[in-house]
Amino acid sequence: MSEKKRTKAQEATQAIERIYIAMRHLFNRGFYKPMGVSGRTLREGLLALQPEIYGSIGEDKVELSGLLYVLDRLPNGIEECPIINLTGDEGYQLSNMKSIIPPKRRRNCYRIDKDQMNVEITRGRSDIYDILTHLTFLFIESHKIANRVIINEKGTLTLEWQKFEKIILQEEISNEELEVAMFHSANILGRTFEEVLAVHKALATEEMPNRLLKVIYWLGKLAIDEVLEINKRIILFSPVLRERTGHHMHGERWANRIKRELENQDLLERPVHIISANMHSVMNYLFSKQTITSKKEELNKREVFERLSQPENSKDRKQISDLATNQGMTYLKDVSGTNIDVQIFDLAKMDFDKSYLSAVIDDTNAVLIVMDYAFGEQAFETMDELLKPYKAAKNGPVNLNVHSVSIMGKAGILKGNKGDLMIPQAHVFEGTTDNYPFENEITLADFENEDIEASDGHMITVLGTSLQNKDMLSYFKKSTWNVVGLEMEGAHYQKAIQAASRIRNSINSNVKVRYAYYASDNPLETGSTLASGGLGLTGVKPTYLITEKFLKQIVRQAI
């Protein structure tokens, strides 16, 4: 790699370090004005880095794909609020306020009044970093709008903005007026009508068919107020959040509930296999053969799983869930604040003869603990607490009989396409010298005959997927680090597993570990970043292939 390229990668790394130092400083301070002097380091760091996920953040035109990505991860209406208060779990659920949950982030948010949005942070520092980078992007884009519509120092606004505002503030907008507003918004954003129309359709919901135009208006309105020094937006961090962050309070509650349930079902002494995955793939793989394939149409495994992923087939999913419950599954909806649901499977109660595992095993007394995806540093908190002894057991402290930990995740791939597999041999923690080599029970050989692209190498556990740019990712790909992908949880999980098995000795030192990732995006390819949309059916094949390899190894281990 050339010296110039290496320098750019180093500059990107330094920009990330500056951003995180700034965020920690502002968090400790307790408040800041994102577009004021206090927020300058964050803004300058993000503009210097120009992460792939935020597209044209460094240009004058407003970035629409990045806007769509960010709005899916922030509460509806946050663009209208000049006051954003990040809080801990402070009992808002006991009020009459209805929580607002973003479509692609499990956060409880509460609109306190027309000016204030409270965002509940219960998943640790990664959650704080995530939302602050998204908000910084949002505010930078909002000032692009203000700069295009403010004509002079007196605060005179363009006629186009005035017409746009008049239409948007109406209670009802006709189709003709809507089209006129979209023409105006295209000019205000520096984008084509075609681009605006595409994002308008993508963001529209039944309740808010014109959400994009409303968002554009309120982003512009609050930015205009800031530029004209009428009112400044502010981000607050509540005292409770600042006090509790990093103390594992939610993770401890979460883990103790699981252990209490194991004790209540007399499962504490049984062999335990922990799986970090979603809340459907393990259950569907274990029980769908008894339901879907018993119907008239003959479906192969992949067709079954594709069918179950379709929104319209909720009856099939309900049937599988009911069957799983009758054959030893317990579902624990989260009440701890981690937002991580759990399924416990007592495999001794399962009818293996009617499952896809019938050729592998007849029966086992193993117990599966399937936990939903953690988020960043939260992976360490939850796994660390889960692997600790259960101190509240009736007969004194008990160590869980953990035989294996299996981690399935989505990751950005550097040498392939969406849906491809990555099999890590080590996790390298971005921005530190920490690295976690391990013996992965999953290898490339497991997927040799599966008609799917797979690569092995090392994974970078990044501080945030929204803070990666091409120069740095290219360095990871081409250097001796031999990086195949990036994700946010691997090093955190492995740190907890190694602490429990090698230092604290709370679980067996020979615990088996399995890691396998499928590519949700390729951040090095334009049009293939996370901002380009989800996997859809492309994700079904890798998800269930990984699930199958995990389960086959687990039940063979249980023989």
Side-chain angles (χ1 to χ4, degrees):
M1 182 179 291
S2 70
E3 199 65 36
K4 185 179 178 182
K5 285 286 184 183
R6 187 178 298 115
T7 302
K8 283 189 174 182
Q10 289 172 340
E11 286 174 358
T13 301
Q14 289 167 357
I16 289 178
E17 287 175 359
R18 286 198 303 273
I19 288 169
Y20 279 99
I21 289 169
M23 285 196 283
R24 282 184 178 246
H25 167 71
L26 296 171
F27 175 69
N28 291 331
R29 183 188 183 199
F31 71 95
Y32 77 104
K33 293 180 180 178
M35 299 308 291
V37 175
S38 54
R40 180 184 296 163
T41 305
L42 274 185
R43 299 195 310 272
E44 289 178 349
L46 211 58
L47 288 167
L49 190 61
Q50 297 200 24
E52 299 309 306
I53 205 76
Y54 296 142
S56 57
I57 185 173
E59 300 176 23
D60 289 338
K61 60 185 178 183
V62 173
E63 167 55 36
L64 290 179
S65 294
L67 184 65
L68 187 60
Y69 175 84
V70 163
L71 290 173
D72 274 343
R73 287 154 179 82
L74 293 173
N76 197 349
I78 197 168
E79 69 280 353
E80 301 174 19
C81 300
I83 304 168
I84 297 169
N85 187 19
L86 305 189
T87 75
D89 180 1
E90 301 178 24
Y92 295 115
Q93 69 275 13
L94 301 176
S95 71
N96 292 321
M97 285 184 290
K98 186 179 179 182
S99 70
I100 306 167
I101 301 173
K104 295 188 178 176
R105 278 289 182 269
R106 292 182 299 239
R107 296 185 180 110
N108 289 316
C109 309
Y110 299 89
R111 182 75 179 264
I112 304 302
D113 54 35
K114 69 180 182 65
D115 292 325
Q116 182 170 330
M117 179 73 75
N118 280 17
V119 181
E120 204 170 78
I121 303 288
T122 59
R123 300 200 287 171
R125 289 189 185 93
S126 296
D127 217 10
I128 297 170
Y129 300 155
D130 184 63
I131 195 167
L132 288 186
T133 51
H134 290 339
L135 287 173
T136 303
F137 162 78
L138 207 61
F139 297 148
I140 288 171
E141 298 303 303
S142 73
H143 272 240
K144 291 180 185 178
I145 297 172
N147 292 337
R148 294 180 77 94
V149 301
I150 298 175
I151 297 174
N152 53 40
E153 292 179 359
K154 294 179 181 179
T156 307
L157 303 177
T158 63
L159 186 60
E160 194 162 47
W161 175 263
Q162 294 175 45
K163 290 179 177 178
F164 177 71
E165 180 178 48
K166 184 178 179 181
I167 295 172
I168 296 304
L169 292 180
Q170 293 176 182
E171 285 191 15
E172 290 188 15
I173 302 174
S174 68
N175 289 336
E176 292 78 10
E177 289 171 325
L178 176 62
E179 199 160 77
V180 170
M182 289 181 71
F183 277 118
H184 289 319
S185 66
N187 285 332
I188 290 166
L189 299 175
R191 291 287 185 173
T192 66
F193 178 80
E194 183 181 17
E195 288 171 322
V196 172
L197 183 61
V199 177
H200 170 78
K201 289 178 179 176
L203 204 57
T205 63
E206 283 189 22
E207 299 80 19
M208 293 191 68
N210 301 322
R211 188 184 173 198
L212 175 66
L213 299 181
K214 296 278 186 183
V215 166
I216 292 167
Y217 170 71
W218 283 106
L219 285 178
K221 172 75 167 64
L222 296 189
I224 291 166
D225 288 351
E226 282 184 324
V227 171
L228 301 181
E229 298 188 345
I230 297 169
N231 191 21
K232 295 267 187 193
R233 284 172 286 194
I234 188 168
I235 292 177
L236 308 169
F237 305 93
S238 79
V240 171
L241 175 65
R242 290 156 65 201
E243 178 187 332
R244 290 179 179 174
T245 297
H247 288 182
H248 285 208
M249 190 185 81
H250 301 290
E252 185 178 17
R253 284 205 304 242
W254 173 83
N256 282 338
R257 184 182 177 212
I258 296 168
K259 294 167 190 174
R260 189 163 56 247
E261 186 64 35
L262 292 175
E263 183 175 47
N264 291 342
Q265 295 190 34
D266 201 23
L267 302 175
L268 266 181
E269 307 291 335
R270 298 261 288 275
V272 168
H273 298 268
I274 298 167
I275 303 175
S276 172
N278 49 61
M279 288 287 96
H280 57 79
S281 57
V282 172
M283 180 178 68
N284 288 349
Y285 192 91
L286 290 175
F287 296 101
S288 59
K289 192 175 181 183
Q290 294 186 53
T291 55
I292 306 278
T293 54
S294 64
K295 298 180 181 180
K296 288 182 181 179
E297 66 264 52
E298 291 187 11
L299 303 173
N300 61 37
K301 272 192 291 190
R302 183 172 173 184
E303 289 169 337
V304 167
F305 300 138
E306 285 181 349
R307 173 170 172 162
L308 288 170
S309 71
Q310 300 290 339
E312 63 269 19
N313 293 321
S314 57
K315 286 184 179 178
D316 290 332
R317 292 192 293 275
K318 175 71 164 59
Q319 188 179 9
I320 289 170
S321 178
D322 290 345
L323 178 66
T325 302
N326 290 333
Q327 292 190 23
M329 184 191 82
T330 303
Y331 177 59
L332 300 180
K333 180 72 176 171
D334 182 65
V335 293
S336 69
T338 61
N339 285 306
I340 299 177
D341 298 334
V342 170
Q343 296 161 327
I344 298 172
F345 295 89
D346 180 358
L347 295 187
K349 296 179 179 178
M350 181 182 161
D351 188 348
F352 276 96
D353 288 340
K354 296 177 182 177
S355 77
Y356 291 123
L357 296 171
S358 58
V360 184
I361 193 172
D362 296 322
D363 60 78
T364 173
N365 71 337
V367 174
L368 303 183
I369 297 175
V370 180
M371 56 183 283
D372 207 348
Y373 296 118
F375 186 74
E377 284 185 18
Q378 187 191 37
F380 175 76
E381 176 179 337
T382 49
M383 189 62 71
D384 185 54
E385 293 296 332
L386 185 56
L387 297 181
K388 285 180 181 178
Y390 181 39
K391 294 181 179 178
K394 294 170 186 173
N395 299 320
V398 176
N399 288 350
L400 291 187
N401 185 14
V402 179
H403 282 211
S404 74
V405 181
S406 304
I407 311 295
M408 172 168 64
K410 292 180 286 189
I413 195 168
L414 302 183
K415 301 177 183 177
N417 303 303
K418 287 187 177 185
D420 290 355
L421 299 184
M422 290 155 279
I423 313 300
Q425 298 154 332
H427 290 288
V428 180
F429 194 17
E430 179 187 49
T432 73
T433 55
D434 298 351
N435 51 81
Y436 300 89
F438 54 88
E439 187 177 335
N440 196 346
E441 295 295 308
I442 298 292
T443 67
L444 285 183
D446 291 310
F447 300 97
E448 275 181 354
N449 302 313
E450 298 293 358
D451 187 31
I452 193 166
E453 291 295 321
S455 56
D456 62 0
H458 305 143
M459 300 291 288
I460 290 281
T461 297
V462 297
L463 294 161
T465 54
S466 56
L467 290 180
Q468 309 302 315
N469 75 359
K470 280 188 178 178
D471 295 305
M472 189 165 52
L473 295 173
S474 295
Y475 171 74
F476 286 147
K477 177 182 177 181
K478 296 174 183 177
S479 72
T480 54
W481 282 110
N482 187 30
V483 172
V484 292
L486 62 146
E487 48 78 57
M488 286 185 65
E489 291 79 33
H492 300 296
Y493 275 131
Q494 191 60 26
K495 180 166 65 169
I497 294 166
Q498 288 180 193
S501 62
R502 304 284 178 87
I503 300 172
R504 288 177 171 158
N505 297 317
S506 57
I507 64 171
N508 192 323
S509 61
N510 295 320
V511 63
K512 305 290 186 185
V513 292
R514 303 178 186 91
Y515 287 90
Y517 297 91
Y518 60 93
S520 55
D521 64 297
N522 185 329
L524 285 173
E525 290 186 7
T526 303
S528 293
T529 67
L530 282 171
S532 65
L535 279 167
L537 286 179
T538 308
V540 173
K541 184 177 180 179
T543 298
Y544 284 96
L545 270 179
I546 293 171
T547 303
E548 179 173 81
K549 302 307 176 185
F550 282 179
L551 290 174
K552 284 187 174 180
Q553 286 195 12
I554 286 168
V555 296
R556 283 183 180 130
Q557 189 181 342
I559 294 174

Short mmCIF file of all heavy atoms in Angstrom, two decimals, residues 381-429:
data_model
loop_
_atom_site.label_atom_id
_atom_site.label_comp_id
_atom_site.label_asym_id
_atom_site.label_seq_id
_atom_site.Cartn_x
_atom_site.Cartn_y
_atom_site.Cartn_z
N GLU A 381 -21.11 -7.15 28.69
CA GLU A 381 -21.91 -7.06 29.91
C GLU A 381 -22.81 -8.28 30.08
O GLU A 381 -22.85 -8.90 31.14
CB GLU A 381 -22.74 -5.78 29.89
CG GLU A 381 -23.68 -5.64 31.09
CD GLU A 381 -24.50 -4.36 31.07
OE1 GLU A 381 -24.06 -3.39 30.41
OE2 GLU A 381 -25.55 -4.33 31.72
N THR A 382 -23.54 -8.63 29.03
CA THR A 382 -24.51 -9.73 29.15
C THR A 382 -23.82 -11.09 29.26
O THR A 382 -24.18 -11.91 30.10
CB THR A 382 -25.48 -9.72 27.96
OG1 THR A 382 -24.73 -9.62 26.73
CG2 THR A 382 -26.44 -8.56 28.05
N MET A 383 -22.80 -11.34 28.42
CA MET A 383 -22.13 -12.64 28.48
C MET A 383 -21.34 -12.78 29.78
O MET A 383 -21.32 -13.87 30.39
CB MET A 383 -21.21 -12.80 27.27
CG MET A 383 -20.62 -14.20 27.12
SD MET A 383 -21.86 -15.51 26.86
CE MET A 383 -22.40 -15.13 25.18
N ASP A 384 -20.71 -11.72 30.21
CA ASP A 384 -19.95 -11.75 31.46
C ASP A 384 -20.86 -12.12 32.63
O ASP A 384 -20.51 -12.96 33.47
CB ASP A 384 -19.30 -10.38 31.70
CG ASP A 384 -18.40 -10.35 32.92
OD1 ASP A 384 -17.49 -11.20 33.00
OD2 ASP A 384 -18.60 -9.49 33.79
N GLU A 385 -22.03 -11.51 32.69
CA GLU A 385 -22.97 -11.80 33.78
C GLU A 385 -23.57 -13.20 33.66
O GLU A 385 -23.76 -13.88 34.67
CB GLU A 385 -24.08 -10.74 33.81
CG GLU A 385 -23.62 -9.34 34.18
CD GLU A 385 -23.07 -9.24 35.60
OE1 GLU A 385 -23.49 -10.04 36.46
OE2 GLU A 385 -22.22 -8.37 35.84
N LEU A 386 -23.85 -13.63 32.43
CA LEU A 386 -24.45 -14.94 32.24
C LEU A 386 -23.50 -16.06 32.66
O LEU A 386 -23.93 -17.10 33.19
CB LEU A 386 -24.86 -15.12 30.77
CG LEU A 386 -25.62 -16.39 30.40
CD1 LEU A 386 -26.89 -16.55 31.24
CD2 LEU A 386 -25.97 -16.38 28.91
N LEU A 387 -22.20 -15.88 32.45
CA LEU A 387 -21.22 -16.93 32.75
C LEU A 387 -20.75 -16.91 34.20
O LEU A 387 -19.99 -17.80 34.62
CB LEU A 387 -20.01 -16.79 31.81
CG LEU A 387 -20.30 -16.96 30.32
CD1 LEU A 387 -19.03 -16.82 29.50
CD2 LEU A 387 -20.99 -18.29 30.01
N LYS A 388 -21.20 -15.94 34.99
CA LYS A 388 -20.85 -15.91 36.41
C LYS A 388 -21.66 -16.97 37.17
O LYS A 388 -22.74 -17.37 36.73
CB LYS A 388 -21.15 -14.53 37.00
CG LYS A 388 -20.16 -13.45 36.62
CD LYS A 388 -20.54 -12.12 37.25
CE LYS A 388 -19.56 -11.01 36.88
NZ LYS A 388 -19.97 -9.71 37.44
N PRO A 389 -21.17 -17.42 38.34
CA PRO A 389 -21.96 -18.36 39.16
C PRO A 389 -23.29 -17.75 39.56
O PRO A 389 -23.40 -16.52 39.70
CB PRO A 389 -21.06 -18.58 40.39
CG PRO A 389 -19.69 -18.18 39.97
CD PRO A 389 -19.87 -17.09 38.95
N TYR A 390 -24.29 -18.61 39.75
CA TYR A 390 -25.60 -18.15 40.21
C TYR A 390 -25.58 -18.13 41.74
O TYR A 390 -25.71 -19.17 42.39
CB TYR A 390 -26.70 -19.06 39.68
CG TYR A 390 -28.09 -18.63 40.08
CD1 TYR A 390 -28.46 -17.29 40.11
CD2 TYR A 390 -29.07 -19.58 40.41
CE1 TYR A 390 -29.74 -16.89 40.47
CE2 TYR A 390 -30.35 -19.20 40.76
CZ TYR A 390 -30.68 -17.85 40.80
OH TYR A 390 -31.95 -17.45 41.15
N LYS A 391 -25.39 -16.95 42.30
CA LYS A 391 -25.21 -16.83 43.75
C LYS A 391 -26.50 -16.99 44.53
O LYS A 391 -26.48 -17.33 45.72
CB LYS A 391 -24.57 -15.48 44.07
CG LYS A 391 -23.14 -15.33 43.55
CD LYS A 391 -22.56 -13.97 43.92
CE LYS A 391 -21.13 -13.86 43.40
NZ LYS A 391 -20.54 -12.52 43.70
N ALA A 392 -27.64 -16.74 43.86
CA ALA A 392 -28.92 -16.77 44.57
C ALA A 392 -29.58 -18.15 44.55
O ALA A 392 -30.74 -18.29 44.93
CB ALA A 392 -29.87 -15.74 43.97
N ALA A 393 -28.85 -19.18 44.11
CA ALA A 393 -29.42 -20.54 44.06
C ALA A 393 -29.82 -21.01 45.46
O ALA A 393 -29.19 -20.63 46.46
CB ALA A 393 -28.42 -21.50 43.44
N LYS A 394 -30.83 -21.86 45.54
CA LYS A 394 -31.38 -22.31 46.82
C LYS A 394 -30.35 -23.03 47.67
O LYS A 394 -30.34 -22.92 48.90
CB LYS A 394 -32.59 -23.21 46.57
CG LYS A 394 -33.77 -22.49 45.93
CD LYS A 394 -34.84 -23.46 45.47
CE LYS A 394 -35.94 -22.74 44.71
NZ LYS A 394 -36.91 -23.68 44.10
N ASN A 395 -29.45 -23.77 47.02
CA ASN A 395 -28.46 -24.55 47.77
C ASN A 395 -27.06 -23.93 47.73
O ASN A 395 -26.05 -24.62 47.83
CB ASN A 395 -28.40 -25.99 47.22
CG ASN A 395 -29.73 -26.71 47.37
OD1 ASN A 395 -30.40 -26.57 48.39
ND2 ASN A 395 -30.13 -27.45 46.35
N GLY A 396 -26.99 -22.63 47.55
CA GLY A 396 -25.71 -21.94 47.48
C GLY A 396 -25.27 -21.70 46.06
O GLY A 396 -25.90 -22.19 45.10
N PRO A 397 -24.17 -20.95 45.86
CA PRO A 397 -23.70 -20.59 44.51
C PRO A 397 -23.49 -21.81 43.62
O PRO A 397 -22.96 -22.83 44.06
CB PRO A 397 -22.37 -19.87 44.79
CG PRO A 397 -22.50 -19.36 46.18
CD PRO A 397 -23.32 -20.37 46.92
N VAL A 398 -23.93 -21.67 42.34
CA VAL A 398 -23.82 -22.76 41.37
C VAL A 398 -23.19 -22.23 40.09
O VAL A 398 -23.60 -21.18 39.58
CB VAL A 398 -25.22 -23.35 41.03
CG1 VAL A 398 -25.11 -24.42 39.95
CG2 VAL A 398 -25.87 -23.92 42.27
N ASN A 399 -22.19 -22.94 39.57
CA ASN A 399 -21.62 -22.61 38.26
C ASN A 399 -22.45 -23.27 37.17
O ASN A 399 -22.79 -24.47 37.29
CB ASN A 399 -20.18 -23.12 38.15
CG ASN A 399 -19.21 -22.30 38.99
OD1 ASN A 399 -19.57 -21.25 39.51
ND2 ASN A 399 -18.00 -22.80 39.15
N LEU A 400 -22.79 -22.53 36.14
CA LEU A 400 -23.49 -23.14 35.01
C LEU A 400 -22.58 -24.15 34.33
O LEU A 400 -21.36 -23.92 34.20
CB LEU A 400 -23.92 -22.08 34.00
CG LEU A 400 -25.03 -21.09 34.39
CD1 LEU A 400 -25.41 -20.25 33.17
CD2 LEU A 400 -26.24 -21.80 34.93
N ASN A 401 -23.16 -25.26 33.89
CA ASN A 401 -22.41 -26.32 33.21
C ASN A 401 -22.35 -26.00 31.71
O ASN A 401 -22.94 -26.69 30.88
CB ASN A 401 -23.09 -27.67 33.48
CG ASN A 401 -22.31 -28.84 32.92
OD1 ASN A 401 -21.13 -28.70 32.55
ND2 ASN A 401 -22.95 -29.99 32.85
N VAL A 402 -21.61 -24.91 31.38
CA VAL A 402 -21.59 -24.42 30.00
C VAL A 402 -20.64 -25.26 29.15
O VAL A 402 -19.44 -25.30 29.42
CB VAL A 402 -21.18 -22.93 29.95
CG1 VAL A 402 -21.13 -22.43 28.50
CG2 VAL A 402 -22.15 -22.08 30.76
N HIS A 403 -21.17 -25.93 28.12
CA HIS A 403 -20.36 -26.75 27.24
C HIS A 403 -19.91 -26.00 25.98
O HIS A 403 -18.87 -26.31 25.42
CB HIS A 403 -21.15 -28.01 26.83
CG HIS A 403 -21.18 -29.05 27.90
ND1 HIS A 403 -21.24 -30.40 27.63
CD2 HIS A 403 -21.17 -28.95 29.25
CE1 HIS A 403 -21.26 -31.09 28.77
NE2 HIS A 403 -21.23 -30.21 29.76
N SER A 404 -20.73 -25.03 25.53
CA SER A 404 -20.34 -24.29 24.33
C SER A 404 -21.02 -22.93 24.28
O SER A 404 -22.08 -22.73 24.89
CB SER A 404 -20.66 -25.08 23.06
OG SER A 404 -22.05 -25.07 22.79
N VAL A 405 -20.37 -22.01 23.56
CA VAL A 405 -20.96 -20.70 23.26
C VAL A 405 -20.85 -20.49 21.75
O VAL A 405 -19.75 -20.58 21.19
CB VAL A 405 -20.24 -19.56 24.00
CG1 VAL A 405 -20.92 -18.22 23.69
CG2 VAL A 405 -20.22 -19.81 25.50
N SER A 406 -21.98 -20.23 21.10
CA SER A 406 -22.01 -20.07 19.65
C SER A 406 -22.56 -18.68 19.31
O SER A 406 -23.63 -18.30 19.79
CB SER A 406 -22.90 -21.14 19.01
OG SER A 406 -22.47 -22.44 19.38
N ILE A 407 -21.82 -17.95 18.50
CA ILE A 407 -22.20 -16.58 18.15
C ILE A 407 -22.46 -16.49 16.65
O ILE A 407 -21.57 -16.71 15.84
CB ILE A 407 -21.08 -15.57 18.51
CG1 ILE A 407 -20.59 -15.78 19.94
CG2 ILE A 407 -21.56 -14.14 18.27
CD1 ILE A 407 -21.59 -15.51 21.03
N MET A 408 -23.70 -16.19 16.28
CA MET A 408 -24.02 -15.89 14.88
C MET A 408 -24.27 -14.39 14.78
O MET A 408 -24.98 -13.82 15.61
CB MET A 408 -25.28 -16.64 14.42
CG MET A 408 -25.74 -16.19 13.04
SD MET A 408 -27.00 -17.25 12.29
CE MET A 408 -28.37 -17.04 13.40
N GLY A 409 -23.67 -13.75 13.78
CA GLY A 409 -23.87 -12.31 13.66
C GLY A 409 -23.91 -11.84 12.22
O GLY A 409 -23.52 -12.56 11.30
N LYS A 410 -24.39 -10.61 12.06
CA LYS A 410 -24.32 -9.92 10.77
C LYS A 410 -23.07 -9.04 10.81
O LYS A 410 -22.74 -8.48 11.83
CB LYS A 410 -25.57 -9.07 10.55
CG LYS A 410 -26.84 -9.86 10.36
CD LYS A 410 -28.03 -8.96 10.14
CE LYS A 410 -28.46 -8.28 11.42
NZ LYS A 410 -29.75 -7.55 11.27
N ALA A 411 -22.40 -8.94 9.68
CA ALA A 411 -21.16 -8.16 9.65
C ALA A 411 -20.95 -7.56 8.27
O ALA A 411 -21.51 -8.03 7.28
CB ALA A 411 -19.97 -9.07 10.01
N GLY A 412 -20.14 -6.53 8.23
CA GLY A 412 -19.72 -5.96 6.95
C GLY A 412 -18.58 -6.79 6.40
O GLY A 412 -17.64 -7.12 7.13
N ILE A 413 -18.65 -7.15 5.14
CA ILE A 413 -17.62 -7.99 4.53
C ILE A 413 -16.70 -7.13 3.67
O ILE A 413 -17.15 -6.17 3.04
CB ILE A 413 -18.26 -9.14 3.70
CG1 ILE A 413 -17.22 -10.22 3.37
CG2 ILE A 413 -18.92 -8.61 2.44
CD1 ILE A 413 -17.86 -11.50 2.83
N LEU A 414 -15.41 -7.45 3.65
CA LEU A 414 -14.45 -6.67 2.87
C LEU A 414 -14.02 -7.41 1.60
O LEU A 414 -13.40 -6.82 0.73
CB LEU A 414 -13.21 -6.35 3.71
CG LEU A 414 -13.48 -5.56 5.01
CD1 LEU A 414 -12.17 -5.25 5.71
CD2 LEU A 414 -14.25 -4.28 4.73
N LYS A 415 -14.33 -8.70 1.51
CA LYS A 415 -13.90 -9.49 0.35
C LYS A 415 -15.06 -10.33 -0.17
O LYS A 415 -14.97 -11.55 -0.23
CB LYS A 415 -12.75 -10.43 0.75
CG LYS A 415 -11.52 -9.75 1.29
CD LYS A 415 -10.48 -10.78 1.73
CE LYS A 415 -9.25 -10.11 2.34
NZ LYS A 415 -8.26 -11.10 2.83
N GLY A 416 -16.17 -9.74 -0.49
CA GLY A 416 -17.30 -10.52 -0.97
C GLY A 416 -18.56 -9.70 -1.09
O GLY A 416 -18.52 -8.46 -1.20
N ASN A 417 -19.70 -10.39 -1.06
CA ASN A 417 -20.99 -9.75 -1.30
C ASN A 417 -21.97 -10.02 -0.17
O ASN A 417 -21.72 -10.87 0.69
CB ASN A 417 -21.58 -10.27 -2.62
CG ASN A 417 -20.65 -10.04 -3.80
OD1 ASN A 417 -20.27 -8.91 -4.08
ND2 ASN A 417 -20.27 -11.12 -4.47
N LYS A 418 -23.09 -9.32 -0.20
CA LYS A 418 -24.16 -9.57 0.77
C LYS A 418 -24.55 -11.04 0.75
O LYS A 418 -24.71 -11.63 -0.31
CB LYS A 418 -25.38 -8.71 0.46
CG LYS A 418 -25.24 -7.23 0.78
CD LYS A 418 -26.56 -6.51 0.58
CE LYS A 418 -26.44 -5.04 0.96
NZ LYS A 418 -27.74 -4.33 0.90
N GLY A 419 -24.71 -11.63 1.94
CA GLY A 419 -25.12 -13.02 2.04
C GLY A 419 -23.97 -14.01 2.15
O GLY A 419 -24.18 -15.17 2.48
N ASP A 420 -22.73 -13.56 1.84
CA ASP A 420 -21.56 -14.44 1.99
C ASP A 420 -21.25 -14.66 3.47
O ASP A 420 -21.69 -13.90 4.34
CB ASP A 420 -20.33 -13.83 1.31
CG ASP A 420 -20.45 -13.81 -0.21
OD1 ASP A 420 -21.44 -14.37 -0.74
OD2 ASP A 420 -19.56 -13.24 -0.87
N LEU A 421 -20.44 -15.71 3.73
CA LEU A 421 -20.10 -16.06 5.11
C LEU A 421 -18.67 -15.65 5.46
O LEU A 421 -17.78 -15.63 4.60
CB LEU A 421 -20.24 -17.57 5.33
CG LEU A 421 -21.63 -18.17 5.12
CD1 LEU A 421 -21.61 -19.66 5.46
CD2 LEU A 421 -22.67 -17.47 5.98
N MET A 422 -18.47 -15.34 6.73
CA MET A 422 -17.12 -15.06 7.27
C MET A 422 -16.92 -15.93 8.50
O MET A 422 -17.76 -15.92 9.42
CB MET A 422 -17.02 -13.58 7.66
CG MET A 422 -17.00 -12.62 6.50
SD MET A 422 -17.58 -10.97 6.98
CE MET A 422 -19.36 -11.20 6.94
N ILE A 423 -15.82 -16.67 8.52
CA ILE A 423 -15.50 -17.56 9.63
C ILE A 423 -14.24 -17.02 10.31
O ILE A 423 -13.14 -17.15 9.77
CB ILE A 423 -15.26 -19.02 9.16
CG1 ILE A 423 -16.38 -19.46 8.19
CG2 ILE A 423 -15.13 -19.95 10.34
CD1 ILE A 423 -17.77 -19.44 8.78
N PRO A 424 -14.36 -16.40 11.47
CA PRO A 424 -13.19 -15.75 12.09
C PRO A 424 -12.29 -16.73 12.83
O PRO A 424 -12.74 -17.75 13.36
CB PRO A 424 -13.83 -14.76 13.06
CG PRO A 424 -15.13 -15.37 13.42
CD PRO A 424 -15.61 -16.13 12.21
N GLN A 425 -11.00 -16.38 12.86
CA GLN A 425 -10.02 -17.12 13.65
C GLN A 425 -9.51 -16.26 14.80
O GLN A 425 -8.82 -16.75 15.69
CB GLN A 425 -8.84 -17.52 12.74
CG GLN A 425 -9.28 -18.45 11.61
CD GLN A 425 -8.37 -18.36 10.39
OE1 GLN A 425 -7.75 -17.33 10.13
NE2 GLN A 425 -8.28 -19.44 9.65
N ALA A 426 -9.85 -14.99 14.77
CA ALA A 426 -9.48 -14.06 15.85
C ALA A 426 -10.33 -12.80 15.72
O ALA A 426 -10.81 -12.47 14.62
CB ALA A 426 -8.00 -13.71 15.79
N HIS A 427 -10.52 -12.10 16.84
CA HIS A 427 -11.16 -10.79 16.84
C HIS A 427 -10.12 -9.75 17.24
O HIS A 427 -9.39 -9.93 18.21
CB HIS A 427 -12.33 -10.74 17.83
CG HIS A 427 -13.50 -11.56 17.40
ND1 HIS A 427 -14.32 -11.20 16.37
CD2 HIS A 427 -13.98 -12.73 17.86
CE1 HIS A 427 -15.27 -12.12 16.22
NE2 HIS A 427 -15.08 -13.05 17.11
N VAL A 428 -10.03 -8.68 16.46
CA VAL A 428 -9.10 -7.59 16.74
C VAL A 428 -9.93 -6.36 17.09
O VAL A 428 -10.84 -5.99 16.33
CB VAL A 428 -8.21 -7.30 15.50
CG1 VAL A 428 -7.25 -6.16 15.80
CG2 VAL A 428 -7.46 -8.55 15.08
N PHE A 429 -9.66 -5.77 18.24
CA PHE A 429 -10.49 -4.66 18.72
C PHE A 429 -9.95 -3.34 18.17
O PHE A 429 -8.82 -2.95 18.46
CB PHE A 429 -10.49 -4.66 20.25
CG PHE A 429 -11.56 -3.79 20.86
CD1 PHE A 429 -12.65 -3.35 20.12
CD2 PHE A 429 -11.48 -3.41 22.18
CE1 PHE A 429 -13.63 -2.56 20.67
CE2 PHE A 429 -12.46 -2.60 22.75
CZ PHE A 429 -13.53 -2.18 22.00
#
